[in-house]
Amino acid sequence: MRVDGDHLARLVRSPRAGLTELIWNALDADADTVDGQLEFGTLGAVERVVVVDRGHGMSPNDVQQGFGALGGSWKRTTRTTRGQGRRLHGEQGKGRFAAFGVGDVVEWRTVHEDDPSTETRIRAERDSLRRFDITTAPSEGEIGTSVSVVSVHEAAGKQLEQDSLIDTLSAEFAIYLESYPHVEISWRGQKLNPAALQVEREEYGLDVEGLEEQPQLVVIEWRRQVDRALYLCDEAGMAFHDIKPAIQAPGFDFTAYLKWGGFREHDVLLAESGLEPMSSVVAAAKEKLREHFKRRGADRRRSVIKDWVSEGSYPYSETSSSATENAERQVFDIVSSTASKIVNSGDFRARKFVLRLLREALSSNPGNLHHVLQSVLELSAERLAELSVLLDRTTLASIIATSKKVGDRLDFLSGLDTMLFDSDTRRETLERRQLHRVLANETWVFGEEYALTGDDESLTKVLAKYLNFLGEDVELAGLTPVLRHDGSSPIPDLVFTRTCEIAQDRVENIVVELKRPSQVIGADELTQIEKYALAVMRDERFNKPNVSWDFWVIGNSLDEFAESRRNQSGLPFGCIQRTERHRVQVRTWSEVINDARHRLKFVERSLNYRAAHDDGVEYLRSRHAPFIPPSLHQVPAPSPSGENAQV
C-alpha cells in the first residue's frame, strides 16, 4: 500500500484530531466504555498515549480490510454498527492514519468477540506507511481493542497534557453522548459529562435553496472555555470534521453542530473550498450563528446590567444626561458585559471599582480602552484594592502621566546609547548639530532639577541669565564681558543651575562641554574645560557664597594622559581639579547614561518596564528627528520571513 506525503498531511491534522479519531473508531466498534490515558517518562514528558475500548474487537477479515489498503473499510457497506445498530462515524478507512498526528509509531492489540483466545497485533511507523506488521498471539480473553501511540511528538504531548482538553472532548462528543446516554468516555480518569457543562442549547432548521433535506444546526454554549468549532455531522449528529466558525461572539464559549446527510456523500475536508452544495450549507449555518449570538449578546447584556444596577456597582445613573453620554453608555454596556466573567469574579467593592475605572478610560481615551481592559482585568483582588486606595490619593491621569514620563526617559537613554555606541551612528553623530541639540532638550540626563541657563552661548550671556536666576535685575548690555586670560570669550556647550533647599539655599551649577563619540579626549580637551573653570572662578560675579560649580568634559573614550589625570591620588575618581567651590571632572558617556539609569531604576523595576533598542530609536525619531544621524532615519525593510515587519 502506498500513502503519499501530501495525502497523509490531509489525514494527519492535529494531536487532538488523532486522539478523537481513535475514540470514534472505538465507538464504531460498539464500545460502551472508552478510556484514554497518558503515560509519562522519567523526565516528565509524555511517552505514550493509550486508548482502550471494550467493543467487539477486530476480526481477521476486519484487519485485512482495515490495514490492507487506504480507504478499504467495512463501514462503506453499512451506516450502523454491527451489534447495537448505532450510527457510524467513519466509512472511508482514513481514521487510523490520524493517530500519526500524535506520534511516529502506532500499535494496535485487538481481541475479536468470535475468537477470544487470539490477540491480533498490528504495528506501523510513520516513515514506512506502506507496511503494517500483523502478528497473532494467545490472549487473556478480554474482548476489545487497545491502541498505543509511542514516540510521541513533544508538541503533541504538551497539547494532550492540557487540563482543558477534557472540555474540548466533551464538546466534540456531546451529540453522540446525548444520543447514546449509556456510553461512557473517559480521559485521564475523568468521565466526559457534556450535559453538566452546558449553559444553553438551541436547535435551528436551515433553509438552503436547492436542498430537499433541511439541515439542522445545534448551538451549545458552555460554562468553561472550549475550542470554538463548527462540526460537520450526518443527520444523526455524527461528526466527520470541524472548521472554524469565523463569526464574532465575544464572551461566549460555544460549539455548533451542523447536521446534514449530504456530508456523508462528500469529502468534508473540502467543506470550505467553495464547492456546492456544501458551501451553501456551511454559509447558512454561519449566518444563523451570527443571528443567534446577536440575540444572546443582547439578552446577556440586559441581564448583567440589571444585576449591576440592582447592587449599586453600575457607574451610570438611570437616565443619561446627554446624547453623548447615552452613546458612551451603550459602548460601555457592550464592553463591560463582554468582560462580565472577569468583572464578576471579585467582590462588590472590586466590581464597582473596575466598572468605574472602565468608564473613566472610555470617557478619556476610547481608542486605548482595549489596553485598559487587558491590564486592569488581569489584576488580582489585592492589586485592585491597592489601585483603589492609590486613586483616593491621586488621579488616574497623574499615575499615567508619571509612568509615561519614566517610560519616555528610559526609551531616550536607550536611543542615546544607540547614537553614541552603535558602530554606524557613532561615526555619523556630530557634536553641535546633533548631540548638543538633542541633550539641550533632555537636560534631566545631567540632574533632575537643573534649569538650562546656557545653550551654546558666551559666558557673558550665561552670567546675565544666572544673575537673573538668583533674583538680580540685570541687563546684558550693562555687564562687563567674561573673558579668558588671553582676552577671548569662552562659549561652553551647556550650563545648568539649580537651587537646593537645605538649611540655607545653596545654588549648584554645571558647565558641560560635549564631545562627539568619535573624538578621543586628551590634553587639549582637558585644557579647554580648565580654562572655562578659571574664567568663571576668577569672576567675583559668579563666585558667590553658597554657590558651587562643576565643570564636565564628556566623551566616549580617553587617551592615556586623560586617564592618568582622572586617576590622581587624593582626588575622587574622575576629578582632575578641586577647590572648596568648584570641581573639574572628566566623564564618559557610559558613566552619564548609567547614572541617569540608576536614578530611574527603582521606578523602572516597579513598573516592570523594559526599554528595547527599537523603542529608543523610535523615541529619537519622534522627538528629535531633525538632530539624529541619517542611519537612524532608515526603517529596515521587512525580510522575506516576515521579521522586522514592524518598527
Side-chain angles (χ1 to χ4, degrees):
M1 180 186 66
R2 179 181 178 85
V3 182
D4 292 333
D6 57 346
H7 196 178
L8 178 63
R10 293 182 58 210
L11 305 178
V12 181
R13 293 185 292 124
S14 71
R16 180 180 66 80
L19 175 64
T20 55
E21 281 295 339
L22 294 177
I23 297 174
W24 278 121
N25 284 343
L27 297 174
D28 285 347
D30 275 328
D32 289 337
T33 61
V34 183
D35 181 46
Q37 293 289 346
L38 297 179
E39 295 180 6
F40 296 86
T42 55
L43 297 179
V46 175
E47 282 193 348
R48 183 183 296 263
V49 179
V50 182
V51 176
V52 178
D53 72 70
R54 293 293 168 250
H56 53 57
M58 289 185 282
S59 68
N61 186 52
D62 294 335
V63 172
Q64 184 59 38
Q65 283 190 341
F67 295 92
L70 176 62
S73 173
W74 62 269
K75 301 175 186 178
R76 282 185 173 276
T77 61
T78 181
R79 290 194 173 186
T80 59
T81 60
R82 292 169 177 170
Q84 300 184 23
R86 300 185 212 158
R87 298 293 299 190
L88 283 170
H89 168 260
E91 63 177 30
Q92 297 178 326
K94 300 176 180 178
R96 61 186 179 273
F97 292 103
F100 291 100
V102 177
D104 292 332
V105 179
V106 185
E107 300 171 343
W108 290 262
R109 300 167 69 116
T110 184
V111 176
H112 190 256
E113 59 187 358
D114 290 344
D115 185 9
S117 63
T118 302
E119 178 181 272
T120 302
R121 300 175 182 177
I122 306 110
R123 188 178 190 277
E125 297 183 7
R126 180 172 179 146
D127 292 338
S128 56
L129 281 173
R130 301 179 186 182
R131 176 179 175 179
F132 286 83
D133 294 327
I134 302 174
T135 59
T136 59
S139 78
E140 298 179 358
E142 195 163 20
I143 297 168
T145 300
S146 171
V147 185
S148 298
V149 185
V150 295
S151 297
V152 175
H153 308 146
E154 182 180 359
K158 290 180 179 179
Q159 187 178 126
L160 297 181
E161 195 178 354
Q162 294 176 357
D163 292 338
S164 60
L165 182 59
I166 185 72
D167 297 331
T168 301
L169 293 174
S170 296
E172 175 143 356
F173 292 96
I175 302 298
Y176 188 94
L177 294 174
E178 184 180 276
S179 302
Y180 305 105
H182 67 284
V183 174
E184 291 187 3
I185 303 172
S186 298
W187 173 245
R188 300 183 68 187
Q190 296 185 66
K191 179 182 173 183
L192 271 59
N193 187 7
L197 297 175
Q198 293 182 23
V199 176
E200 192 83 9
R201 184 188 190 281
E202 294 200 40
E203 188 164 349
Y204 302 94
L206 304 179
D207 294 323
V208 180
E209 186 177 354
L211 294 185
E212 295 182 3
E213 177 190 0
Q214 186 183 50
Q216 301 292 310
L217 179 68
V218 178
V219 185
I220 298 180
E221 298 171 24
W222 303 96
R223 299 184 188 281
R224 294 202 290 263
Q225 184 175 354
V226 299
D227 294 333
R228 288 183 178 182
L230 174 58
Y231 290 95
L232 309 183
C233 314
D234 68 5
E235 65 275 17
M238 300 300 101
F240 301 119
H241 183 57
D242 63 89
I243 62 176
K244 297 293 184 183
I247 66 161
Q248 297 296 319
F252 288 94
D253 296 307
F254 74 92
T255 48
Y257 307 82
L258 180 54
K259 301 194 295 185
W260 178 51
F263 287 132
R264 278 197 175 273
E265 303 166 10
H266 299 84
D267 187 345
V268 292
L269 294 177
L270 300 176
E272 295 183 293
S273 64
L275 297 178
E276 296 291 350
M278 280 196 301
S279 62
S280 297
V281 176
V282 171
K286 291 183 177 181
E287 185 57 36
K288 182 59 70 175
L289 281 173
R290 293 186 185 95
E291 294 176 9
H292 171 85
F293 284 109
K294 183 177 181 181
R295 175 180 59 79
R296 289 285 294 134
D299 292 344
R300 174 180 284 186
R301 283 194 296 275
R302 284 191 292 268
S303 176
V304 169
I305 299 301
K306 182 179 178 181
D307 290 343
W308 289 341
V309 170
S310 298
E311 70 174 9
S313 61
Y314 188 65
Y316 292 89
S317 59
E318 292 188 11
T319 57
S320 300
S321 59
S322 65
T324 301
E325 183 180 306
N326 187 56
E328 176 191 303
R329 179 173 175 171
Q330 291 177 7
V331 175
F332 174 86
D333 288 351
I334 294 173
V335 172
S336 59
S337 60
T338 299
S340 60
K341 284 185 179 180
I342 303 176
V343 173
N344 286 335
S345 63
D347 58 16
F348 166 77
R349 182 179 178 184
R351 186 160 51 250
K352 184 176 182 179
F353 170 66
V354 169
L355 292 173
R356 178 171 66 103
L357 196 62
L358 292 180
R359 179 185 175 178
E360 290 182 11
L362 183 62
S363 301
S364 61
N365 195 340
N368 288 331
L369 183 61
H370 68 287
H371 291 302
V372 177
L373 277 170
Q374 182 179 0
S375 300
V376 172
L377 297 182
E378 289 178 355
L379 293 177
S380 65
E382 180 183 2
R383 288 288 182 261
L384 281 173
E386 292 173 355
L387 183 56
S388 181
V389 171
L390 188 60
L391 290 178
D392 288 336
R393 301 173 182 172
T394 186
T395 65
L396 180 62
S398 298
I399 296 172
I400 295 171
T402 301
S403 300
K404 177 68 165 57
K405 187 174 185 178
V406 172
D408 284 348
R409 290 187 174 188
L410 291 169
D411 286 344
F412 172 71
L413 291 177
S414 177
L416 181 61
D417 193 281
T418 299
M419 280 185 66
L420 294 169
F421 298 108
D422 277 18
S423 57
D424 291 334
T425 55
R426 68 175 289 170
R427 289 193 301 268
E428 299 174 348
T429 299
L430 303 177
E431 178 183 315
R432 291 192 177 275
R433 284 189 291 168
Q434 292 170 337
L435 184 59
H436 184 146
R437 302 306 334 138
V438 167
L439 290 168
N441 292 302
E442 304 279 357
T443 59
W444 60 269
V445 170
F446 302 101
E448 204 60 45
E449 300 299 329
Y450 284 101
L452 183 62
T453 51
D455 178 7
D456 203 18
E457 296 175 321
S458 69
L459 277 179
T460 305
K461 289 184 178 180
V462 171
L463 175 61
K465 292 181 180 180
Y466 166 70
L467 294 175
N468 284 321
F469 178 85
L470 297 181
E472 299 183 25
D473 187 11
V474 297
E475 296 290 339
L476 177 61
L479 289 176
T480 303
V482 180
L483 303 175
R484 293 191 183 97
H485 67 282
D486 60 2
S488 62
S489 178
I491 303 177
D493 289 335
L494 298 169
V495 180
F496 305 101
T497 302
R498 73 170 178 176
T499 300
C500 301
E501 295 182 0
I502 50 178
Q504 264 187 316
D505 281 351
R506 177 177 177 82
V507 178
E508 295 182 353
N509 305 275
I510 301 177
V511 178
V512 179
E513 184 64 25
L514 311 172
K515 298 303 175 185
R516 64 184 182 273
S518 60
Q519 182 173 345
V520 177
I521 294 178
D524 291 344
E525 289 71 32
L526 300 191
T527 300
Q528 180 186 22
I529 195 67
E530 287 178 313
K531 286 182 177 180
Y532 287 161
L534 181 60
V536 169
M537 298 312 298
R538 73 177 186 174
D539 193 311
E540 62 182 15
R541 293 168 297 180
F542 284 118
N543 198 356
K544 294 178 177 290
N546 301 321
V547 173
S548 66
W549 290 85
D550 270 300
F551 300 86
W552 297 357
V553 57
I554 310 174
N556 263 17
S557 56
L558 286 65
D559 67 10
E560 187 176 352
F561 174 76
E563 282 288 2
S564 65
R565 285 290 307 276
R566 73 178 198 145
N567 278 282
Q568 299 178 61
S569 61
L571 290 176
F573 175 76
C575 184
I576 64 173
Q577 189 182 109
R578 183 176 68 173
T579 67
E580 184 180 346
R581 293 187 179 177
H582 90 284
R583 290 181 303 179
V584 180
Q585 299 187 62
V586 183
R587 309 199 65 188
T588 64
W589 283 117
S590 61
E591 292 168 351
V592 173
I593 292 174
N594 287 337
D595 285 350
R597 282 202 175 113
H598 182 75
R599 295 196 299 270
L600 297 169
K601 190 168 291 296
F602 172 76
V603 183
E604 178 186 12
R605 289 175 177 171
S606 299
L607 292 176
N608 195 25
Y609 189 93
R610 292 293 180 268
H613 172 275
D614 289 350
D615 296 328
V617 172
E618 184 56 38
Y619 180 88
L620 292 178
R621 290 189 189 124
S622 62
R623 299 293 183 89
H624 304 291
F627 312 121
I628 62 177
S631 60
L632 292 185
H633 285 288
Q634 298 173 5
V635 180
S639 67
S641 63
E643 296 177 356
N644 299 323
Q646 294 181 343
V647 177

